[in-house]
Amino acid sequence: MKTKTKTKAVRGDVKDLALARDGSLRIEWAAREMPVLRQIRERFAREKPLKGVRLAACLHVTTETANLVLALRDGGAEVTLCASNPLSTQDDTAAALVADHGIPTYAIKGEDTETYYRHINAVLDAKPRITLDDGADLVSTLLTNRKEMLNGVTGGCEETTTGVIRLRSMAKEGRLRYPIIAVNDADTKHFFDNRYGTGQSTLDGITRATNVLWAGKRVVICGYGWCGRGVASRARGMGSHVVVTEVDPIRALEAAMDGHEVMPIAEAARTGDIFITLTGGLNAIGKGAFEVMKDGAIVANSGHFNVEIDIASLEAMAETKRTVRQYVEEYALEDGRKVYLLGEGRLINLAAAEGHPSAVMDMSFANQALSVEYLVHEGKNLEPQVYPVPKEIDQEVGRLKLRAMGIQIDKLSEEQKKYLSGWEMGT
Ligand code: ADE
């Protein structure tokens, strides 16, 4: 679609351009909590390190992403944006990007699968040199259905754990065709975004969808990676009794020593009030669990894809299904029990809430912006593999965030440095 704006026609497909004013105000609000990205944006505006570089971004279309896109644009890039999940788009933000900022944006909250991929293809039509992904749907579309666009691509960035896992498996099979920076794996990304971001925003999404009281509830967390750890700690902070299910013995041990109950899902399913999947895997909650759940159990996913809850089994088991609140689907089972599925099993923090708070996305997206700049210089020297964010970028993001928070830290003395680099001194 061609969308008319005051200045020029900007391509895009958004729900309603009349939402642009609200979107712009919220983008501005998010910027207040993104001081690291702001500094990068100011430098980019002066130095134009991305001049003329075409970027295709497949990210959750939120106010935080808008601030990243504007930083990249101010750096001289030509950015085209689409959604990385059918249910995570903030329609006002998408409208503001098109109407007020001239960024071609293809994203509508609730879009069907066909539209979702049409939007990804629209972004690829812009002939990107660098890709930005959150979940690797852009790269996988490029490698499977749009191979003709591969020639001009020199690098990409990946935002999330699931995407990095997919890309590593592409690289292992020799299918990856250009270098990717695993932004997720930067310490200043996953220690904070995955843990504190997912921790807070998952509870926020479930609360907004249900208005449930967390105090006194038995909350079953499936998966104790960085995201699971974050949700478990925040649920405990709200007074919930946390139960963790895991397949990895060391993570299970960690959950136990963090003070949570650990047990198989078959057992946890009998007593849980609220279930949250964050495994990155398939069917963490399946038919067996639904068969024994208590009447009124609430089930939500906060992992990247909507495959962690076996919705097909729940559908098959249900006699009737109805929407009882926005984002709450009631499944009435044969024996009279009711199970409530939130947000169609899609990531609840973005479906029913606004995703991670801006202050944490500040660091994730600072890593993205600096990794894009790095790829512009170094992409041609890299192999088609998955690379870590360079340590200097990670450390710089940490330093800038600390400074923005007004926190000072100590420096090692020469004597301390010498001790740490030697082996001679013992007892
Ligand atoms: N992923 C999780 N939260 C997000 C947000 N607020 N913006 C973009 N991507 C996100």
Side-chain angles (χ1 to χ4, degrees):
M1 153 192 140
K2 283 241 178 197
T3 314
K4 285 251 178 261
T5 67
K6 278 178 214 135
T7 44
K8 61 175 180 175
V10 177
R11 294 160 67 81
D13 189 14
V14 302
K15 184 173 181 204
D16 182 2
L17 287 179
L19 300 171
R21 188 180 143 70
D22 284 353
S24 281
L25 286 169
R26 290 201 319 108
I27 292 169
E28 212 181 298
W29 179 256
R32 296 172 59 85
E33 286 271 276
M34 304 182 84
V36 178
L37 189 63
R38 180 164 62 243
Q39 284 181 57
I40 294 169
R41 182 174 174 182
E42 285 163 4
R43 177 173 68 76
F44 276 12
R46 283 192 309 275
E47 298 176 2
K48 302 282 178 207
L50 315 179
K51 194 158 188 289
V53 176
R54 283 189 301 276
L55 299 181
C58 178
L59 300 169
H60 299 298
V61 179
T62 65
T63 54
E64 292 75 28
T65 298
N67 278 290
L68 168 64
V69 165
L70 296 178
L72 298 168
R73 192 267 322 264
D74 284 2
E78 293 167 26
V79 192
T80 309
L81 175 67
C82 67
S84 59
N85 186 287
L87 213 48
S88 62
T89 296
Q90 296 170 3
D91 288 318
D92 59 350
T93 305
L97 281 170
V98 173
D100 294 349
H101 300 286
I103 306 287
T105 302
Y106 298 83
I108 299 174
K109 185 166 178 124
E111 62 196 17
D112 59 19
T113 307
E114 192 269 321
T115 311
Y116 176 73
Y117 280 101
R118 181 157 46 76
H119 286 165
I120 287 184
N121 278 297
V123 157
L124 290 175
D125 288 341
K127 301 193 178 71
R129 181 167 143 201
I130 289 176
T131 60
L132 280 82
D133 240 319
D134 188 330
D137 279 347
L138 188 63
V139 178
S140 65
T141 305
L142 194 51
L143 294 182
T144 48
N145 299 331
R146 298 298 302 273
K147 293 194 186 108
E148 79 282 4
M149 307 302 282
L150 271 166
N151 266 346
V153 186
T154 56
C157 293
E158 171 53 54
E159 168 76 7
T160 202
T161 316
T162 298
V164 171
I165 291 169
R166 291 179 84 192
L167 290 158
R168 289 224 164 90
S169 119
M170 288 175 206
K172 200 167 153 210
E173 286 179 13
R175 299 281 302 276
L176 196 58
R177 295 281 301 279
Y178 60 91
I180 302 274
I181 306 281
V183 170
N184 178 73
D185 295 358
D187 289 347
T188 48
K189 199 281 185 181
H190 67 270
F191 283 171
F192 304 94
D193 169 315
N194 301 27
R195 182 167 36 171
Y196 304 116
T198 310
Q200 179 170 325
S201 63
T202 300
L203 263 58
D204 184 16
I206 296 173
T207 308
R208 290 198 208 192
T210 61
N211 200 23
V212 78
L213 178 74
W214 292 90
K217 292 284 191 308
R218 260 179 97 79
V219 176
V220 178
I221 314 265
C222 304
Y224 207 66
W226 287 108
C227 296
R229 289 177 183 113
V231 177
S233 111
R234 268 39 191 164
R236 177 154 66 192
M238 294 290 277
S240 305
H241 183 95
V242 175
V243 178
V244 170
T245 72
E246 247 303 340
V247 292
D248 180 297
I250 297 169
R251 286 182 175 183
L253 202 51
E254 189 185 350
M257 293 208 188
D258 281 346
H260 306 306
E261 259 189 89
V262 179
M263 61 183 75
I265 183 65
E267 204 179 315
R270 296 178 183 280
T271 55
D273 298 302
I274 302 174
F275 296 81
I276 309 170
T277 53
L278 307 104
T279 64
L282 189 68
N283 295 343
I285 295 184
K287 187 164 184 283
F290 292 127
E291 275 166 356
V292 297
M293 273 182 193
K294 290 197 303 193
D295 178 39
I298 292 172
V299 184
N301 167 52
S302 210
H304 186 80
F305 286 119
N306 59 336
V307 296
E308 302 203 18
I309 300 167
D310 182 2
I311 301 174
S313 285
L314 186 57
E315 295 268 347
M317 289 166 72
E319 279 205 324
T320 59
K321 169 182 159 186
R322 60 179 182 144
T323 305
V324 290
R325 285 169 69 103
Q326 193 180 17
Y327 307 120
V328 184
E329 220 59 47
E330 179 189 83
Y331 288 83
L333 308 182
E334 264 177 15
D335 58 11
R337 285 176 303 126
K338 289 175 176 141
V339 171
Y340 295 94
L341 175 70
L342 306 190
E344 303 166 17
R346 296 196 186 276
L347 23 73
I348 196 62
N349 60 338
L350 281 142
E354 294 171 67
H356 303 349
S358 318
V360 87
M361 293 312 295
D362 187 28
M363 287 190 279
S364 311
F365 285 165
N367 276 295
Q368 285 278 6
L370 296 178
S371 295
V372 168
E373 184 183 30
Y374 172 79
L375 280 171
V376 168
H377 296 299
E378 295 298 326
K380 55 187 175 307
N381 301 322
L382 302 176
E383 301 296 319
Q385 295 295 337
V386 178
Y387 287 87
V389 171
K391 202 72 202 152
E392 311 77 67
I393 291 182
D394 205 354
Q395 296 259 317
E396 178 66 1
V397 172
R399 261 192 301 272
L400 290 172
K401 190 68 176 178
L402 271 179
R403 200 162 71 199
M405 293 170 79
I407 297 170
Q408 292 182 351
I409 59 169
D410 293 321
K411 272 203 173 85
L412 287 173
S413 67
E414 285 311 314
E415 188 189 20
Q416 287 170 319
K417 276 191 206 162
K418 192 164 165 230
Y419 171 78
L420 287 171
S421 61
W423 54 268
E424 294 91 346
M425 205 186 291
T427 309

